[in-house]
Amino acid sequence: MEQEIKGFMSYLHNVKKTSRNTELSYQRDLMKMMHFLQKQKVEEANEVTETALNSYILDLEKNGMSAATVSRNIASMKGFYLYLWKEGSISSDPAEKLKAPKVEKKLPEIMSVEEMERLLEQPGDRTAKGLRDSAMLELLYATGIRVTELISLKLSDVNWKLDYIVCRDRNKERMIPFGPKAKKALERYLKEARGQLLGDKKCEMLFPNCSGEGMSRQGFWKLLKQYVKQAGIEMEITPHTLRHSFAAHLVENGADLHMVQEMLGHSDISTTMMYAARAREIYAKAHPRG
């Protein structure tokens, strides 16, 4: 079965053009499934039955896996066996009728506008690093992009005439506008700080680290934690919290859900609708006539 999994990985990479993280997730799920089935003396893909797969699902649940994790594993199995069936490697699809457990979507944690403003004030403008960090936080809050997208931005991805950035993944690209505060922070960073960070190095990334190289997710996470602490914000903040807050604040101020969906790059508007639910919840708690 290992060869079939390798073939599926090649299909995802070369045909479906999936991201590296998606491919690793599929591979991890399917290898765990394969090892379980091998212990049940099921060695070949064409020997796998719906009963065998349901036994694996029950094993995941017995081992305390969350509904979300079980659902992801089922999705991996469905994708894999559908691929094998279409390729003619198996005569029937044993995963076709598998049903994922219901996953309750939690409303995202968001920061208040006042907390966000305190956070944005923290980097300061006295050092090159402070100017860079200020520009990063302002752009993140102005656009709602993911941290991976932020640290992957190149200088050429900024359109200064129309004030938008271009974010790309392997399947699509989207253009996201930014406002005057983010533009001012970006312009000052580029004029006064980026050259200092680079020194004599060359880097096409918009936001290099202090060594003049591309920044990592861990590097951004570390600086964010520092500024959250400085701002005296007690709630648990992750890089994604800024994305959630961007969306919720837009919705609170009357933005069209479809517009927010497009900016965030959500394929399903039900994901975007969570922010509307969160905004209503906050309104009900905070408004004197809520």
Side-chain angles (χ1 to χ4, degrees):
M1 201 180 305
E2 191 166 357
Q3 287 303 313
E4 284 91 344
I5 293 175
K6 287 181 180 178
F8 182 54
M9 292 301 106
S10 178
Y11 165 76
L12 291 177
H13 184 80
N14 296 315
V15 179
K16 300 296 286 184
K17 306 295 183 184
T18 51
S19 69
R20 179 61 177 157
N21 285 340
T22 298
E23 290 163 15
L24 289 173
S25 178
Y26 269 108
Q27 186 174 41
R28 183 169 56 247
D29 291 346
L30 293 173
M31 291 301 289
K32 283 172 61 179
M33 176 205 69
M34 182 190 76
H35 292 143
F36 173 87
L37 293 174
Q38 286 176 340
K39 289 178 183 178
Q40 311 304 311
K41 308 301 181 185
V42 179
E43 301 283 345
E44 304 296 331
N46 57 14
E47 296 175 345
V48 178
T49 63
E50 183 181 341
T51 301
L53 294 181
N54 273 315
S55 296
Y56 177 57
I57 293 168
L58 285 172
D59 186 70
L60 291 175
E61 292 172 340
K62 284 180 183 177
N63 282 288
M65 297 297 169
S66 68
T69 299
V70 173
S71 293
R72 192 200 67 226
N73 275 269
I74 291 173
S76 296
M77 289 188 282
K78 280 181 170 291
F80 175 56
Y81 286 107
L82 180 61
Y83 158 79
L84 291 182
W85 179 74
K86 286 183 175 179
E87 289 287 302
S89 302
I90 54 177
S91 57
S92 62
D93 181 356
E96 183 181 7
K97 295 181 181 179
L98 295 182
K99 292 185 178 179
K102 187 175 181 180
V103 179
E104 184 178 342
K105 288 187 176 181
K106 293 183 178 179
L107 293 178
E109 287 293 325
I110 65 169
M111 300 166 68
S112 68
V113 173
E114 186 270 335
E115 286 174 326
M116 182 61 73
E117 287 176 348
R118 288 205 329 258
L119 177 63
L120 295 174
E121 289 170 358
Q122 296 311 308
D125 58 2
R126 296 183 180 180
T127 65
K129 180 180 179 298
L131 288 169
R132 180 204 63 189
D133 295 351
S134 179
M136 292 182 80
L137 291 177
E138 287 282 2
L139 188 62
L140 204 58
Y141 180 50
T143 60
I145 59 176
R146 302 173 180 88
V147 170
T148 302
E149 293 170 331
L150 178 76
I151 62 177
S152 300
L153 284 174
K154 299 176 182 178
L155 281 169
S156 57
D157 291 329
V158 184
N159 185 308
W160 295 102
K161 285 186 177 180
L162 299 178
D163 295 345
Y164 67 78
I165 56 172
V166 179
C167 282
R168 300 179 179 85
D169 60 31
R170 296 181 67 178
N171 297 314
K172 57 187 176 182
E173 67 176 42
R174 64 190 198 282
M175 296 179 291
I176 309 165
F178 54 82
K181 289 189 177 180
K183 183 174 184 177
K184 183 178 179 181
L186 278 169
E187 288 177 335
R188 187 168 179 194
Y189 154 67
L190 290 173
K191 183 179 179 181
E192 301 178 26
R194 190 171 183 275
Q196 290 185 48
L197 293 171
L198 286 176
D200 58 358
K201 292 186 177 180
K202 291 185 178 180
C203 179
E204 62 180 352
M205 309 314 295
L206 179 60
F207 298 112
N209 61 22
C210 293
S211 300
E213 300 169 346
M215 183 175 289
S216 66
R217 283 179 57 86
Q218 292 80 5
F220 181 83
W221 177 218
K222 185 176 179 181
L223 69 86
L224 177 61
K225 284 175 67 176
Q226 171 196 334
Y227 293 133
V228 167
K229 185 176 180 180
Q230 285 178 200
I233 299 170
E234 295 182 0
M235 69 178 286
E236 185 76 21
I237 302 293
T238 69
H240 224 58
T241 308
L242 276 68
R243 179 170 161 86
H244 294 325
S245 302
F246 156 84
H249 294 170
L250 276 180
V251 173
E252 281 181 69
N253 285 286
D256 177 74
L257 277 177
H258 288 281
M259 182 199 74
V260 178
Q261 176 192 8
E262 188 173 328
M263 292 176 72
L264 291 171
H266 288 161
S267 57
D268 185 350
I269 197 168
S270 65
T271 306
T272 315
M273 287 175 69
M274 289 194 300
Y275 298 110
R278 186 67 171 135
R280 284 195 298 270
E281 181 187 270
I282 291 170
Y283 179 89
K285 288 181 179 178
H287 198 278
R289 294 184 182 272

Coordinates of all heavy atoms in Angstrom, one line a residue, residues 100-175:
A100 N -18.2 11.3 8.3 CA -17.4 12.1 9.3 C -18.3 12.5 10.5 O -19.5 12.8 10.3 CB -16.8 13.3 8.7
P101 N -17.7 12.5 11.7 CA -18.5 13.0 12.9 C -18.8 14.4 12.8 O -18.0 15.2 12.1 CB -17.6 12.7 14.1 CG -16.2 12.6 13.5 CD -16.3 12.1 12.1
K102 N -19.8 14.9 13.4 CA -20.2 16.3 13.3 C -19.2 17.1 14.1 O -18.9 16.8 15.3 CB -21.6 16.5 13.9 CG -22.1 17.9 13.7 CD -23.5 18.1 14.1 CE -24.1 19.5 13.9 NZ -25.5 19.6 14.4
V103 N -18.6 18.1 13.5 CA -17.6 19.0 14.1 C -18.3 20.3 14.5 O -18.7 21.0 13.6 CB -16.4 19.2 13.2 CG1 -15.4 20.1 13.9 CG2 -15.7 17.9 12.9
E104 N -18.3 20.6 15.7 CA -18.8 21.9 16.1 C -17.8 23.0 15.9 O -16.7 22.9 16.4 CB -19.2 21.8 17.6 CG -19.9 23.1 18.1 CD -20.3 23.0 19.6 OE1 -20.3 21.9 20.1 OE2 -20.5 24.1 20.2
K105 N -18.2 24.0 15.1 CA -17.3 25.1 14.8 C -17.3 26.1 15.9 O -18.3 26.6 16.3 CB -17.7 25.8 13.5 CG -17.4 25.0 12.3 CD -17.7 25.8 11.0 CE -17.3 25.0 9.8 NZ -17.5 25.8 8.5
K106 N -16.1 26.3 16.5 CA -16.0 27.2 17.6 C -15.9 28.6 17.0 O -15.2 28.9 16.0 CB -14.7 26.9 18.5 CG -14.8 25.6 19.2 CD -13.6 25.4 20.1 CE -13.7 24.1 20.9 NZ -12.5 23.9 21.7
L107 N -16.5 29.5 17.7 CA -16.4 30.9 17.3 C -15.0 31.4 17.6 O -14.4 31.1 18.6 CB -17.4 31.8 18.0 CG -18.9 31.6 17.7 CD1 -19.7 32.5 18.6 CD2 -19.2 31.8 16.3
P108 N -14.3 32.1 16.6 CA -12.9 32.5 16.8 C -12.8 33.6 17.9 O -13.7 34.4 18.1 CB -12.6 33.1 15.5 CG -13.9 33.5 14.9 CD -14.9 32.5 15.4
E109 N -11.7 33.5 18.6 CA -11.3 34.5 19.6 C -10.9 35.8 18.8 O -10.1 35.7 17.9 CB -10.2 34.0 20.5 CG -10.7 33.0 21.5 CD -11.6 33.6 22.5 OE1 -11.5 34.8 22.9 OE2 -12.5 32.8 23.0
I110 N -11.4 36.9 19.2 CA -11.0 38.1 18.6 C -10.6 39.2 19.6 O -11.1 39.2 20.7 CB -12.1 38.7 17.6 CG1 -13.3 39.1 18.4 CG2 -12.4 37.7 16.5 CD1 -14.3 39.9 17.6
M111 N -9.8 40.1 19.2 CA -9.4 41.2 20.0 C -10.4 42.4 19.8 O -10.9 42.6 18.8 CB -8.0 41.7 19.7 CG -6.9 40.6 19.8 SD -5.4 41.0 18.9 CE -4.8 42.4 20.0
S112 N -10.5 43.2 20.9 CA -11.3 44.4 20.7 C -10.5 45.4 19.9 O -9.3 45.3 19.7 CB -11.6 45.0 22.1 OG -10.4 45.5 22.7
V113 N -11.2 46.4 19.4 CA -10.5 47.5 18.6 C -9.4 48.2 19.5 O -8.3 48.5 19.1 CB -11.5 48.5 18.1 CG1 -10.8 49.7 17.4 CG2 -12.4 47.8 17.1
E114 N -9.8 48.4 20.8 CA -8.9 49.0 21.7 C -7.6 48.2 22.0 O -6.5 48.7 22.0 CB -9.6 49.3 23.0 CG -8.8 50.1 24.1 CD -8.0 49.3 25.0 OE1 -8.3 48.1 25.2 OE2 -6.9 49.8 25.5
E115 N -7.8 46.9 22.1 CA -6.7 46.0 22.3 C -5.8 46.0 21.0 O -4.5 46.0 21.1 CB -7.1 44.6 22.6 CG -7.7 44.4 24.0 CD -8.3 43.0 24.2 OE1 -8.9 42.5 23.2 OE2 -8.2 42.5 25.3
M116 N -6.4 46.0 19.9 CA -5.7 46.0 18.6 C -4.8 47.2 18.5 O -3.7 47.2 18.1 CB -6.6 45.8 17.4 CG -5.9 45.8 16.1 SD -4.8 44.4 15.9 CE -5.9 43.0 15.8
E117 N -5.4 48.4 18.9 CA -4.7 49.6 18.8 C -3.5 49.6 19.7 O -2.4 50.1 19.4 CB -5.6 50.8 19.1 CG -6.6 51.1 18.0 CD -7.6 52.2 18.3 OE1 -7.7 52.6 19.5 OE2 -8.3 52.6 17.4
R118 N -3.7 49.1 20.9 CA -2.5 49.0 21.9 C -1.4 48.1 21.3 O -0.2 48.4 21.4 CB -3.0 48.4 23.2 CG -3.9 49.3 24.0 CD -3.8 49.1 25.5 NE -3.7 47.7 26.0 CZ -4.6 46.9 26.4 NH1 -5.9 47.3 26.4 NH2 -4.4 45.7 26.9
L119 N -1.8 47.0 20.7 CA -0.8 46.1 20.1 C 0.0 46.8 19.0 O 1.2 46.8 18.9 CB -1.5 44.9 19.6 CG -0.6 43.9 18.8 CD1 0.5 43.3 19.8 CD2 -1.4 42.7 18.2
L120 N -0.8 47.6 18.1 CA -0.1 48.2 17.0 C 0.8 49.3 17.4 O 1.7 49.7 16.7 CB -1.2 48.8 16.1 CG -2.1 47.8 15.3 CD1 -3.2 48.5 14.6 CD2 -1.3 46.9 14.4
E121 N 0.6 49.8 18.6 CA 1.5 50.9 19.1 C 2.8 50.4 19.7 O 3.8 51.2 19.9 CB 0.8 51.7 20.3 CG -0.4 52.5 19.8 CD -1.2 53.0 21.0 OE1 -0.9 52.7 22.1 OE2 -2.2 53.8 20.7
Q122 N 3.0 49.1 19.9 CA 4.1 48.6 20.7 C 5.5 48.6 20.0 O 6.5 48.9 20.6 CB 3.8 47.1 21.1 CG 2.7 47.0 22.1 CD 2.8 48.0 23.3 OE1 3.8 48.1 23.9 NE2 1.7 48.7 23.5
P123 N 5.5 48.3 18.7 CA 6.9 48.3 18.1 C 7.7 49.6 18.1 O 8.9 49.6 18.2 CB 6.6 47.9 16.6 CG 5.3 47.1 16.7 CD 4.5 47.9 17.7
G124 N 7.0 50.7 18.0 CA 7.7 52.0 18.1 C 8.3 52.3 16.7 O 8.3 51.5 15.8
D125 N 9.0 53.4 16.7 CA 9.7 53.9 15.4 C 11.1 54.3 15.6 O 11.6 55.1 14.8 CB 8.8 55.0 14.8 CG 8.7 56.2 15.7 OD1 9.2 56.2 16.8 OD2 8.0 57.1 15.3
R126 N 11.7 53.8 16.7 CA 13.1 54.3 17.0 C 14.2 53.4 16.4 O 15.4 53.8 16.4 CB 13.3 54.4 18.5 CG 12.4 55.4 19.2 CD 12.7 55.5 20.6 NE 11.8 56.5 21.3 CZ 11.8 56.8 22.6 NH1 12.7 56.2 23.4 NH2 11.0 57.7 23.1
T127 N 13.8 52.2 16.0 CA 14.8 51.3 15.4 C 14.3 50.7 14.1 O 13.1 50.8 13.8 CB 15.1 50.1 16.4 OG1 13.8 49.3 16.5 CG2 15.5 50.5 17.8
A128 N 15.2 50.2 13.3 CA 14.8 49.5 12.0 C 13.9 48.4 12.3 O 12.9 48.2 11.6 CB 16.1 49.1 11.3
K129 N 14.2 47.6 13.3 CA 13.3 46.4 13.7 C 11.9 46.9 14.1 O 10.9 46.3 13.6 CB 14.0 45.6 14.8 CG 13.1 44.4 15.2 CD 13.8 43.7 16.3 CE 13.0 42.4 16.8 NZ 11.7 42.8 17.3
G130 N 11.9 48.0 14.8 CA 10.6 48.5 15.2 C 9.7 49.0 14.1 O 8.5 48.7 14.0
L131 N 10.4 49.6 13.1 CA 9.7 50.1 11.9 C 9.2 48.9 11.1 O 8.1 49.0 10.5 CB 10.6 51.0 11.1 CG 10.8 52.4 11.7 CD1 11.9 53.1 11.0 CD2 9.5 53.3 11.7
R132 N 10.0 47.9 11.0 CA 9.6 46.7 10.2 C 8.5 46.0 10.9 O 7.5 45.7 10.3 CB 10.8 45.7 10.1 CG 10.5 44.5 9.3 CD 11.3 43.3 9.7 NE 11.2 42.9 11.1 CZ 11.9 42.1 11.8 NH1 13.0 41.5 11.2 NH2 11.7 41.8 13.1
D133 N 8.6 45.8 12.2 CA 7.5 45.1 12.9 C 6.2 45.9 12.9 O 5.1 45.3 12.8 CB 7.9 44.9 14.4 CG 9.1 44.0 14.5 OD1 9.5 43.4 13.4 OD2 9.7 43.8 15.6
S134 N 6.3 47.2 13.0 CA 5.1 48.1 12.9 C 4.4 47.9 11.5 O 3.2 47.8 11.5 CB 5.5 49.5 13.1 OG 4.3 50.4 13.0
A135 N 5.2 47.9 10.5 CA 4.7 47.7 9.1 C 4.0 46.4 9.0 O 3.0 46.2 8.3 CB 5.8 47.9 8.1
M136 N 4.7 45.3 9.5 CA 4.1 44.0 9.4 C 2.8 43.9 10.2 O 1.8 43.3 9.6 CB 5.1 43.0 10.1 CG 6.4 42.8 9.3 SD 7.5 41.6 10.0 CE 6.7 40.1 9.4
L137 N 2.7 44.4 11.4 CA 1.4 44.3 12.1 C 0.3 45.2 11.5 O -0.8 44.7 11.4 CB 1.7 44.8 13.6 CG 2.5 43.9 14.4 CD1 2.8 44.5 15.8 CD2 1.9 42.5 14.6
E138 N 0.7 46.3 11.0 CA -0.3 47.2 10.3 C -0.8 46.5 9.1 O -2.0 46.5 8.8 CB 0.3 48.5 10.0 CG 0.6 49.5 11.2 CD -0.7 50.2 11.7 OE1 -1.8 49.9 11.1 OE2 -0.6 51.0 12.6
L139 N 0.1 45.9 8.3 CA -0.4 45.3 7.1 C -1.2 44.0 7.4 O -2.2 43.7 6.7 CB 0.8 44.9 6.2 CG 0.5 44.4 4.8 CD1 -0.2 45.5 4.0 CD2 1.8 43.9 4.1
L140 N -0.8 43.3 8.4 CA -1.6 42.1 8.8 C -3.0 42.4 9.2 O -4.0 41.8 8.8 CB -0.9 41.4 9.9 CG -1.1 39.9 10.1 CD1 -0.7 39.1 8.9 CD2 -0.3 39.4 11.3
Y141 N -3.1 43.5 10.0 CA -4.4 43.9 10.4 C -5.2 44.6 9.3 O -6.5 44.5 9.3 CB -4.3 44.9 11.6 CG -5.6 45.4 12.2 CD1 -6.6 44.5 12.5 CD2 -5.9 46.7 12.4 CE1 -7.9 44.9 13.0 CE2 -7.1 47.2 12.9 CZ -8.1 46.3 13.2 OH -9.3 46.7 13.7
A142 N -4.6 45.2 8.4 CA -5.2 45.9 7.3 C -5.8 45.0 6.2 O -6.7 45.3 5.5 CB -4.3 46.9 6.7
T143 N -5.2 43.8 6.1 CA -5.5 42.9 5.0 C -6.1 41.6 5.5 O -6.8 40.9 4.7 CB -4.3 42.6 4.1 OG1 -3.3 42.0 5.0 CG2 -3.7 43.9 3.5
G144 N -5.8 41.2 6.7 CA -6.3 39.9 7.2 C -5.6 38.7 6.5 O -6.1 37.5 6.6
I145 N -4.5 38.9 6.0 CA -3.8 37.8 5.3 C -3.2 36.8 6.4 O -3.0 37.2 7.6 CB -2.6 38.2 4.4 CG1 -1.6 39.1 5.1 CG2 -3.2 39.0 3.2 CD1 -0.4 39.5 4.3
R146 N -2.9 35.6 6.0 CA -2.2 34.7 6.9 C -0.8 35.0 7.1 O -0.2 35.7 6.3 CB -2.3 33.2 6.3 CG -3.7 32.8 6.1 CD -3.7 31.5 5.3 NE -5.1 31.0 5.0 CZ -5.8 31.3 4.0 NH1 -5.3 32.1 3.0 NH2 -7.0 30.8 3.8
V147 N -0.2 34.6 8.3 CA 1.2 34.9 8.5 C 2.1 34.3 7.5 O 3.1 35.0 7.0 CB 1.6 34.4 9.9 CG1 3.1 34.5 10.1 CG2 0.9 35.1 11.0
T148 N 1.8 33.1 7.0 CA 2.6 32.5 5.9 C 2.6 33.4 4.7 O 3.6 33.5 4.0 CB 2.0 31.1 5.5 OG1 2.0 30.3 6.7 CG2 2.9 30.5 4.5
E149 N 1.4 34.0 4.4 CA 1.3 34.9 3.2 C 2.1 36.2 3.5 O 2.8 36.7 2.6 CB -0.1 35.2 3.0 CG -0.9 34.0 2.5 CD -2.4 34.2 2.4 OE1 -3.0 35.0 3.2 OE2 -3.1 33.6 1.6
L150 N 2.1 36.7 4.7 CA 2.8 37.9 5.1 C 4.3 37.7 4.9 O 4.9 38.6 4.2 CB 2.5 38.3 6.5 CG 3.2 39.5 7.1 CD1 2.6 40.8 6.5 CD2 3.2 39.5 8.6
I151 N 4.8 36.7 5.4 CA 6.3 36.5 5.4 C 6.8 36.0 4.0 O 8.0 36.0 3.7 CB 6.8 35.5 6.4 CG1 6.2 34.1 6.3 CG2 6.5 36.1 7.8 CD1 6.7 33.1 7.3
S152 N 5.8 35.7 3.1 CA 6.1 35.2 1.7 C 6.0 36.4 0.8 O 6.4 36.2 -0.4 CB 5.2 34.1 1.3 OG 5.3 33.0 2.1
L153 N 5.5 37.5 1.2 CA 5.4 38.7 0.3 C 6.7 39.2 -0.2 O 7.7 39.2 0.5 CB 4.7 39.9 1.0 CG 3.2 39.8 1.3 CD1 2.7 40.9 2.1 CD2 2.4 39.7 -0.1
K154 N 6.8 39.5 -1.5 CA 8.0 40.1 -2.1 C 7.7 41.5 -2.4 O 6.6 42.0 -2.4 CB 8.3 39.3 -3.4 CG 8.5 37.8 -3.3 CD 8.7 37.2 -4.6 CE 9.0 35.7 -4.4 NZ 9.1 35.0 -5.7
L155 N 8.8 42.3 -2.6 CA 8.6 43.7 -2.9 C 7.7 43.9 -4.1 O 6.9 44.8 -4.2 CB 10.0 44.3 -3.2 CG 10.9 44.6 -2.0 CD1 12.3 44.9 -2.5 CD2 10.3 45.8 -1.2
S156 N 7.8 43.0 -5.1 CA 7.0 43.1 -6.3 C 5.5 42.8 -6.1 O 4.7 43.0 -7.0 CB 7.6 42.2 -7.4 OG 7.6 40.8 -6.9
D157 N 5.2 42.3 -4.9 CA 3.8 42.0 -4.6 C 3.0 43.2 -4.1 O 1.8 43.1 -3.9 CB 3.7 40.9 -3.6 CG 4.2 39.5 -4.1 OD1 4.0 39.3 -5.4 OD2 4.7 38.7 -3.4
V158 N 3.6 44.3 -4.0 CA 2.9 45.5 -3.5 C 2.7 46.5 -4.7 O 3.6 46.9 -5.4 CB 3.8 46.3 -2.4 CG1 3.0 47.5 -1.9 CG2 4.2 45.3 -1.3
N159 N 1.4 46.8 -4.9 CA 1.1 47.8 -5.9 C 0.8 49.1 -5.2 O -0.2 49.3 -4.5 CB -0.2 47.3 -6.7 CG -0.6 48.2 -7.8 OD1 -0.7 49.4 -7.7 ND2 -0.8 47.6 -9.0
W160 N 1.8 50.0 -5.4 CA 1.7 51.3 -4.7 C 0.7 52.3 -5.4 O 0.2 53.2 -4.7 CB 3.1 51.9 -4.7 CG 4.1 51.1 -3.9 CD1 5.0 50.3 -4.3 CD2 4.1 51.0 -2.5 NE1 5.7 49.7 -3.3 CE2 5.1 50.1 -2.1 CE3 3.4 51.6 -1.4 CZ2 5.5 49.8 -0.8 CZ3 3.7 51.3 -0.1 CH2 4.7 50.4 0.2
K161 N 0.5 52.1 -6.7 CA -0.5 53.0 -7.3 C -1.9 52.8 -6.8 O -2.7 53.7 -6.6 CB -0.4 52.9 -8.8 CG 0.8 53.5 -9.5 CD 0.8 53.4 -11.0 CE 2.0 54.1 -11.6 NZ 1.9 54.1 -13.1
L162 N -2.3 51.5 -6.7 CA -3.7 51.2 -6.4 C -3.8 50.7 -4.9 O -4.9 50.4 -4.5 CB -4.2 50.1 -7.3 CG -4.2 50.5 -8.8 CD1 -4.7 49.3 -9.7 CD2 -5.1 51.7 -9.0
D163 N -2.7 50.6 -4.2 CA -2.7 50.3 -2.8 C -3.3 48.9 -2.5 O -4.3 48.8 -1.8 CB -3.4 51.3 -2.0 CG -2.7 52.7 -2.0 OD1 -1.5 52.7 -2.4 OD2 -3.3 53.7 -1.6
Y164 N -2.7 47.9 -3.1 CA -3.1 46.5 -2.8 C -1.9 45.6 -2.8 O -0.8 46.0 -3.4 CB -4.2 46.0 -3.7 CG -3.8 45.8 -5.2 CD1 -3.1 44.7 -5.6 CD2 -4.1 46.7 -6.2 CE1 -2.7 44.4 -6.9 CE2 -3.8 46.5 -7.5 CZ -3.1 45.4 -7.8 OH -2.7 45.2 -9.2
I165 N -2.0 44.5 -2.2 CA -1.0 43.4 -2.3 C -1.5 42.2 -3.0 O -2.7 42.0 -3.1 CB -0.5 43.0 -0.9 CG1 -1.6 42.5 0.0 CG2 0.3 44.1 -0.2 CD1 -1.2 41.9 1.3
V166 N -0.6 41.4 -3.6 CA -1.0 40.2 -4.2 C -0.5 39.0 -3.4 O 0.7 38.9 -3.1 CB -0.4 40.1 -5.7 CG1 -0.8 38.8 -6.3 CG2 -0.8 41.3 -6.5
C167 N -1.5 38.2 -3.0 CA -1.1 36.9 -2.3 C -1.3 35.8 -3.2 O -2.4 35.7 -3.9 CB -2.0 36.8 -1.0 SG -1.5 37.8 0.3
R168 N -0.4 34.8 -3.2 CA -0.5 33.7 -4.1 C -0.3 32.4 -3.3 O 0.5 32.3 -2.3 CB 0.7 33.7 -5.1 CG 0.6 34.9 -6.0 CD 1.8 34.9 -7.0 NE 1.8 36.1 -7.9 CZ 2.3 37.2 -7.6 NH1 2.9 37.4 -6.4 NH2 2.2 38.2 -8.5
D169 N -1.1 31.4 -3.7 CA -0.8 30.0 -3.3 C -0.7 29.2 -4.6 O -0.7 29.8 -5.7 CB -1.8 29.4 -2.3 CG -3.2 29.4 -2.8 OD1 -3.3 29.2 -4.1 OD2 -4.1 29.5 -2.0
R170 N -0.6 27.9 -4.5 CA -0.4 27.1 -5.7 C -1.6 27.0 -6.6 O -1.5 26.6 -7.7 CB 0.1 25.7 -5.3 CG 1.4 25.7 -4.6 CD 1.9 24.3 -4.2 NE 2.2 23.5 -5.4 CZ 2.7 22.3 -5.3 NH1 2.9 21.7 -4.2 NH2 3.0 21.6 -6.4
N171 N -2.8 27.4 -6.1 CA -4.0 27.2 -6.8 C -4.5 28.6 -7.4 O -5.2 28.6 -8.4 CB -5.1 26.6 -6.0 CG -4.7 25.1 -5.6 OD1 -4.2 24.4 -6.5 ND2 -4.9 24.8 -4.4
K172 N -4.3 29.7 -6.7 CA -4.9 30.9 -7.1 C -4.1 32.1 -6.5 O -3.2 31.9 -5.7 CB -6.3 31.0 -6.6 CG -6.5 30.8 -5.0 CD -7.9 30.7 -4.6 CE -8.0 30.4 -3.1 NZ -9.4 30.2 -2.7
E173 N -4.5 33.3 -6.9 CA -4.0 34.5 -6.3 C -5.1 35.4 -6.0 O -6.2 35.4 -6.7 CB -2.9 35.1 -7.2 CG -3.4 35.7 -8.5 CD -2.3 36.4 -9.2 OE1 -1.2 35.9 -9.3 OE2 -2.6 37.5 -9.8
R174 N -4.9 36.3 -5.0 CA -6.0 37.3 -4.7 C -5.3 38.6 -4.4 O -4.2 38.7 -3.9 CB -6.9 36.8 -3.6 CG -6.2 36.7 -2.2 CD -7.2 36.0 -1.3 NE -6.8 36.1 0.1 CZ -5.9 35.5 0.7 NH1 -5.2 34.5 0.0 NH2 -5.6 35.7 2.0
M175 N -6.0 39.7 -4.8 CA -5.5 41.0 -4.6 C -6.3 41.6 -3.4 O -7.5 41.6 -3.4 CB -5.7 41.9 -5.9 CG -4.9 41.4 -7.0 SD -5.2 42.3 -8.6 CE -6.8 41.9 -9.0

